Amino acid sequence: MTIGWLPMTASRTRTAAAELRGAGLRVTAARVALLETVRDGDHLGVEAIAAGVRDRIGHVSLQAVYEALHALTAAGLVRRIEPPGGPARFEGRVGDNHHHVVCRSCGVVADVDCAVGEAPCLTASDDHGFSIGEAEVIYWGLCPGCFAARRSGAPSSI
Ligand SMILES: [Zn+2]
Ligand SMILES: [Zn+2]
């Protein structure tokens, strides 16, 4: 079932390149690979992103990955989340102000839509005169796997 794989990859790459261009960024192989890696992944950390980029285009320095992440985050193509006490994660789902739930034990991250409506969490009960552009809500807890392990008394890996 390799028929169709190449054309699809080519068109995906074209899309990522077009979006980079549309955001006013120089298009490089590393940036295209990084955007695709972040979108295919699930709240990846920098090391995992670097590995994904290298899978796609060969060796790229960690420094280059950091620089590309910075450029794409600043351009709004990638969103950076930084749960306190954990490493930064990056995702391709941008612009909707969704929230995250983080497992206290293994650190896995999942998306949580706003509780009601479009982006109601931007409406603070008291904005102190600020023009508010983003609301960050992080739910902390145990993922199903860690919760089950804890209940069954299995030794935690942490
Ligand atoms: Zn967990
Ligand atoms: Zn997310």
Side-chain angles (χ1 to χ4, degrees):
M1 286 296 288
T2 54
I3 296 171
W5 183 81
L6 270 174
M8 197 183 101
T9 301
S11 81
R12 268 166 47 91
T13 299
R14 245 197 321 276
T15 303
E19 289 184 50
L20 287 165
R21 220 172 281 120
L25 294 173
R26 196 163 44 89
V27 177
T28 66
R31 285 177 174 176
V32 168
L34 185 137
L35 187 55
E36 289 177 353
T37 299
V38 169
R39 288 180 173 170
D40 284 350
D42 186 13
H43 305 99
L44 299 176
V46 173
E47 296 285 346
I49 291 169
V53 171
R54 287 169 189 151
D55 280 350
R56 284 170 161 83
I57 60 166
H59 181 75
V60 174
S61 73
L62 201 53
Q63 183 61 31
V65 170
Y66 272 108
E67 285 171 6
L69 273 172
H70 182 79
L72 268 63
T73 302
L77 293 174
V78 165
R79 178 175 168 189
R80 174 195 177 99
I81 59 167
E82 207 160 0
R89 313 288 195 100
F90 296 86
E91 67 182 338
R93 184 180 163 185
V94 297
D96 67 351
N97 192 57
H98 69 275
H99 309 308
H100 295 98
V101 57
V102 183
C103 177
R104 284 194 187 284
S105 182
C106 70
V108 72
V109 178
D111 288 335
V112 180
D113 290 333
C114 274
V116 277
E118 292 253 302
C121 303
L122 287 174
T123 309
S125 56
D126 180 355
D127 63 15
H128 297 275
F130 283 53
S131 169
I132 295 176
E134 184 182 12
E136 185 170 297
V137 176
I138 299 180
Y139 302 91
W140 294 91
L142 288 174
C143 71
C146 291
F147 183 67
R150 191 155 295 196
R151 273 172 53 120
S152 68
S156 164
S157 62
I158 305 235

